Amino acid sequence: MLSALLLLTCCLSAPAEVTITTDTVSLGELISFGASDPRAMISLGYAPNPGLARRFQKEELLAKIIASGFSSSDLQLPDTILVRRFAQTLNNDQAVRAVRDAFVRQYPLANIEILSVEVPETQIGAGNVDITASIPPHSDPSSPVYVKLDLRGSNFVRAIYVRTVVRVEVPQPVIVRPIAAQSRIQPDDVEWKPMPVRGTHDVISSLDAIDGMVAKQDLGPGMIVSTDLLYLPIYVRKGDAVTVSTTAGGVSVSATMRAQESGKYGDSIVVEHLSGNSTATARVVGARTLEALQGAK
């Protein structure tokens, strides 16, 4: 009995299970060495990820001590020591706020209603965590969107995806009277209404964004004008006789020239005088109609 008591008072022991908060494991976190005992600084490698555990064998620990040139005669160790990494559960409200912020960045002028965000129970490290959400390119907000959450703490980085159902409404042009195929949309043909964003096409924020485009098909009242319903035709083809206009000092002058290139609305192309003696650069503004660029020769 006496020898057992002496053994207990003279030896250092370690518990069978330890919880740590650091991203590396040192022997001093498993065994309560004195402040000046150098064995406490022996590294055992990386800690497990938050919420997970790593098991160390007694023989492994003793071998580390001996390999470092120290004695292990004063230690009493269990056969194994389970090292757990402290973890906290990801805050659901913080994750939802990050998702909302991502949609606000994507649609700054929209009315956004987050209907649901499925945040899985996620174990993260101790301390503060920064969450940045990003929406996949070309996402359709009328369908569930899998938003990426980048989680970053003082000693961990992790990414998860959360299934999000959202309603995004932005002012969009809605047809108020029939528009025939191959026709350009005029300002009086539409009215602007807050409408849900549907599909992966770009949202039209002004008619200037589709200037020169024409309807692919007949468009009826109530339809939302979207880029997938329009196309940009070729207004000028190489070899066409075109009208090129220029304005100087309040006086407009037009001349017939020949296109050396094909062009769509807004393109700048080279045209030549019918005599073939000189060329100029002009911008396509309509069917076989161009404006000379100032300073171009």
Side-chain angles (χ1 to χ4, degrees):
M1 177 66 71
L2 180 60
S3 60
L5 291 174
L6 291 174
L7 185 62
L8 289 174
T9 57
C10 71
C11 297
L12 297 172
S13 61
E17 186 173 318
V18 176
T19 299
I20 65 172
T21 59
T22 56
D23 55 356
T24 59
V25 185
S26 64
L27 193 61
E29 292 176 290
L30 277 60
I31 304 171
S32 298
F33 291 108
S36 60
D37 196 323
R39 293 177 295 180
M41 303 303 296
I42 296 176
S43 175
L44 301 178
Y46 286 102
N49 288 328
L52 301 180
R54 178 180 175 185
R55 191 176 294 278
F56 291 92
Q57 301 292 327
K58 174 181 178 180
E59 292 76 11
E60 176 186 1
L61 300 177
L62 296 177
K64 284 273 189 179
I65 296 171
I66 295 172
S68 299
F70 301 111
S71 171
S72 61
S73 60
D74 60 337
L75 302 179
Q76 271 195 325
L77 304 180
D79 291 336
T80 63
I81 299 178
L82 185 67
V83 177
R84 296 187 183 277
R85 178 77 171 272
F86 176 82
Q88 58 182 337
T89 302
L90 177 64
N91 184 281
N92 187 84
D93 292 340
Q94 187 180 0
V96 172
R97 286 195 299 270
V99 169
R100 179 178 177 79
D101 289 345
F103 278 98
V104 170
R105 290 193 302 271
Q106 184 83 358
Y107 304 99
L109 301 178
N111 296 320
I112 297 171
E113 182 182 3
I114 303 295
L115 301 178
S116 68
V117 181
E118 297 178 6
V119 182
E121 185 171 320
T122 304
Q123 299 297 309
I124 57 176
N128 294 329
V129 56
D130 292 325
I131 305 179
T132 303
S134 54
I135 303 170
H138 310 298
S139 295
D140 179 1
S142 64
S143 300
V145 179
Y146 285 85
V147 178
K148 181 183 179 184
L149 296 185
D150 289 302
L151 316 176
R152 183 179 296 273
S154 59
N155 51 18
F156 75 92
V157 175
R158 186 174 179 183
I160 63 172
Y161 289 84
V162 294
R163 185 179 186 272
T164 302
V165 179
V166 61
R167 180 180 175 88
V168 178
E169 286 189 348
V170 298
Q172 298 181 69
V174 179
I175 301 295
V176 295
R177 58 190 178 199
I179 297 176
Q182 312 305 317
S183 299
R184 291 177 63 177
I185 298 175
Q186 304 299 324
D188 292 342
D189 295 330
V190 303
E191 63 178 348
W192 293 84
K193 293 182 177 181
M195 300 293 288
V197 176
R198 300 185 184 279
T200 58
H201 53 265
D202 293 333
V203 175
I204 296 173
S205 57
S206 73
L207 292 185
D208 290 341
I210 58 173
D211 197 11
M213 301 180 76
V214 299
K216 292 180 181 178
Q217 62 191 53
D218 292 340
L219 304 179
M223 295 181 66
I224 298 174
V225 181
S226 58
T227 53
D228 60 332
L229 297 176
L230 308 173
Y231 77 99
L232 194 60
I234 295 176
Y235 281 101
V236 176
R237 297 187 182 276
K238 183 178 181 181
D240 281 351
V242 296
T243 299
V244 181
S245 301
T246 184
T247 301
V251 178
S252 296
V253 179
S254 298
T256 301
M257 306 180 76
R258 191 171 307 282
Q260 290 190 334
E261 303 172 276
S262 297
K264 297 178 180 179
Y265 185 88
D267 289 348
S268 296
I269 65 172
V270 176
V271 294
E272 65 176 355
H273 292 278
L274 295 181
S275 63
N277 294 329
S278 61
T279 62
T281 302
R283 177 177 177 270
V284 179
V285 295
R288 297 189 179 91
T289 305
L290 300 93
E291 287 181 349
L293 298 180
Q294 297 297 322
K297 296 181 178 180

